[in-house]
């Protein structure tokens, strides 16, 4: 393990960040975790929880104190635009030498304007990081398996998942595999300037994903196609932002004809195959009950 100084995890209480903290501790690293409320963070024993808030009215609050003595940073950006990123990266650059950023497979480097708002802020932050002077690594996962937790309420209530684009196939990735890749990028040398595209080991349609969740639960589930406009209204109600809803639906429609590629980067980085969606469903079966 080349990394000896402390590692700061920004986004430590999220789906991926929590596993990054655990993985770093298991690898013997000294870990700090930035969180708004250290008392409620429930982080693994051994992690040093530090109070901080990236959305402070006068810029990031508590970040510099958390960065003192830190050599590397794992960053999950928690906002829908890159507007507040420059002061955060400026603070990181004063202390750390390396940053690993959780980005998106959807980023197109040949486009100034990306296809949707979510991909746009990832692209904007990548460009800011590239100009920061930090040694950087970008993790670009495809679809997160955890996104299917959006079906949990329907599955608890019955045996039918109603959603659009049932035939859309994606190699959804387990959050533990994203975290495992992040750990290697943070503690090992040789990842500077890398853009690691991460996916699960196989592409399953949404119909097949619902079936796999049913197998994990021990009861049959079926997928029922929802018209796009009805799904749009549901997303706007849930997210409160029509542009995000339209961007998501446009991206999903595009994947019907241009599916995400399957990569083997997780195995190359970690030495073990990426977990299947079926394994993810078993791990999260309680979330659907």
């Amino acid at each position: 393990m080349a990394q000896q100084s402390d590692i700061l995890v920004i986004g430590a209480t999220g789906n991926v960040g929590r596993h990054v903290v655990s993985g770093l501790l298991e690898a013997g690293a000294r870990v700090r975790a930035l969180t708004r409320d250290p008392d409620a963070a429930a982080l693994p024993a051994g992690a040093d929880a530090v109070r901080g808030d990236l959305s402070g009215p006068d810029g990031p609050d508590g970040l510099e104190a958390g960065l003192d003595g830190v050599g590397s940073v794992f960053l999950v950006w928690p906002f829908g635009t890159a507007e507040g990123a420059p002061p955060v990266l400026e603070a990181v650059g004063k202390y750390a030498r390396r940053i690993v950023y959780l980005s998106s497979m959807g980023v197109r480097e040949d486009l100034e304007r990306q296809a949707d708002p979510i991909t746009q802020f990832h692209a904007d932050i990548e460009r800011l990081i590239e100009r920061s002077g930090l040694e950087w690594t970008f993790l670009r996962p495809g679809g997160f398996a955890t996104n299917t937790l959006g079906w949990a309420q329907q599955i608890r209530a019955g045996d039918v998942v109603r959603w659009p684009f049932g035939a859309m196939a994606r190699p959804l990735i387990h959050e533990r595999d994203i975290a495992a890749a992040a750990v290697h990028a943070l503690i090992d040398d040789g990842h500077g300037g890398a853009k690691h595209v991460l996916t699960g080991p196989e592409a399953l349609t949404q119909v097949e994903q619902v079936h796999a969740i049913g197998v994990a639960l021990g009861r049959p589930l079926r997928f029922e196609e929802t018209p796009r406009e009805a799904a749009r209204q549901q997303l706007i109600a849930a997210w409160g932002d029509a542009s995000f809803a339209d961007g998501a639906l446009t991206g999903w429609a595009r994947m019907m004809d241009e599916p995400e590629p399957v990569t083997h980067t997780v195995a190359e980085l970690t030495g073990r195959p990426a977990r299947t969606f079926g394994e993810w469903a078993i791990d999260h079966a309680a979330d659907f009950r």
Side-chain angles (χ1 to χ4, degrees):
M1 184 175 73
Q3 179 68 42
Q4 297 298 322
S5 56
D6 288 8
I7 299 172
L8 178 67
V9 178
I10 300 175
T13 59
N15 288 324
V16 175
R18 192 173 293 278
H19 291 299
V20 172
V21 171
S22 297
L24 289 170
L25 291 170
E26 290 169 6
R30 298 193 302 267
V31 185
R32 295 185 198 173
L34 193 75
T35 175
R36 289 191 181 99
D37 187 354
D39 295 331
L43 293 165
D48 179 15
V50 295
R51 189 178 303 277
D53 185 355
L54 300 188
S55 62
D58 300 317
D61 180 34
L63 179 58
E64 292 212 24
L67 282 163
D68 189 19
V70 162
S72 299
V73 172
F74 177 71
L75 174 62
V76 179
W77 189 246
F79 310 114
T81 74
E83 183 178 355
V88 171
L89 295 175
E90 181 181 356
V92 170
K94 291 180 182 178
Y95 297 90
R97 65 179 182 86
R98 177 186 297 184
I99 186 169
V100 175
Y101 174 59
L102 184 60
S103 186
S104 168
M105 176 195 285
V107 172
R108 288 273 304 274
E109 296 173 41
D110 58 329
L111 297 177
E112 182 64 28
R113 299 303 303 173
Q114 302 294 316
D116 62 83
I118 297 173
T119 308
Q120 186 63 54
F121 84 71
H122 282 304
D124 292 341
I125 293 178
E126 283 194 6
R127 293 184 185 114
L128 290 170
I129 291 173
E130 287 174 331
R131 297 196 294 264
S132 70
L134 288 157
E135 178 186 308
W136 53 263
T137 305
F138 299 151
L139 302 181
R140 290 178 169 175
F144 286 29
T146 51
N147 290 342
T148 63
L149 290 173
W151 298 331
Q153 185 174 355
Q154 294 188 67
I155 291 172
R156 293 189 200 107
D159 297 325
V160 181
V161 171
R162 296 174 178 86
W163 201 240
F165 308 120
M168 179 184 70
R170 302 184 75 178
L172 298 181
I173 185 168
H174 198 304
E175 65 275 10
R176 288 181 180 270
D177 288 328
I178 301 172
V183 168
H184 282 274
L186 286 161
I187 67 176
D188 296 338
D189 290 328
H191 297 281
K195 300 172 182 178
H196 294 310
V197 179
L198 309 173
T199 75
E202 59 181 345
L204 297 181
T205 66
Q206 294 197 105
V207 173
E208 292 168 330
Q209 293 162 27
V210 168
H211 174 74
I213 294 169
V215 170
L217 294 175
R219 62 185 176 92
L221 301 177
R222 64 182 177 86
F223 188 98
E224 185 175 294
E225 191 75 22
T226 296
R228 176 169 175 159
E229 183 55 32
R232 179 177 185 270
Q233 295 306 317
Q234 293 177 37
L235 290 172
I236 292 172
W239 296 348
D241 190 320
S243 65
F244 273 65
D246 290 337
L249 288 164
T250 298
W252 296 336
R254 186 172 59 248
M255 287 179 205
M256 295 284 286
D257 299 318
E258 303 172 20
E260 293 172 333
V262 176
T263 74
H264 303 286
T265 311
V266 169
E268 293 164 3
L269 292 175
T270 69
R272 60 170 303 281
R275 296 167 175 85
T276 66
F277 184 79
E279 290 175 291
W280 178 89
I282 291 169
D283 289 345
H284 288 271
D287 296 322
F288 293 98
R289 291 195 171 103

